[in-house]
Amino acid sequence: MIGCFINNPALVSEYKVVKDDFCNNVAKGVYTAVERLAKDGNQFIDSDMIEDCLKKYYPSDYRIYQKSQGINFIGLAVTKC
């Protein structure tokens, strides 16, 4: 599901999904960043944008993202989508 939101940020506003719908802490953080980026009007989201958003606005989620190698999570999510 995360990969679909990354590939098509417009879906964020169409579906009632919240951070707590995800059981994986990396997914929760990534979704939070994707949601913010989508609400800011971004029509294209990439891993650098997600990482920058986490670093700037969600430092605790960013630490989890870093320690869990979130870049690999994003790559896999986008590929599976």
Side-chain angles (χ1 to χ4, degrees):
M1 188 177 347
I2 293 283
C4 294
F5 290 130
I6 293 170
N7 285 335
N8 189 354
L11 294 175
V12 171
S13 64
E14 292 182 35
Y15 292 93
K16 305 275 187 219
V17 177
V18 295
K19 177 181 180 174
D20 290 330
D21 288 337
F22 300 95
C23 59
N24 178 318
N25 286 332
V26 176
K28 287 179 181 186
V30 170
Y31 178 74
T32 301
V34 169
E35 181 180 42
R36 181 178 187 111
L37 291 165
K39 287 182 179 178
D40 287 348
N42 291 289
Q43 295 178 357
F44 172 79
I45 297 175
D46 64 19
S47 59
D48 290 334
M49 293 169 71
I50 294 169
E51 190 167 335
D52 290 343
C53 182
L54 286 171
K55 190 184 306 182
K56 185 174 182 178
Y57 299 107
Y58 310 101
S60 61
D61 287 333
Y62 178 67
R63 286 190 294 278
I64 293 169
Y65 173 86
Q66 278 188 306
K67 290 182 181 188
S68 302
Q69 299 183 348
I71 190 75
N72 294 333
F73 175 85
I74 290 172
L76 186 58
V78 170
T79 300
K80 285 187 174 184
C81 176

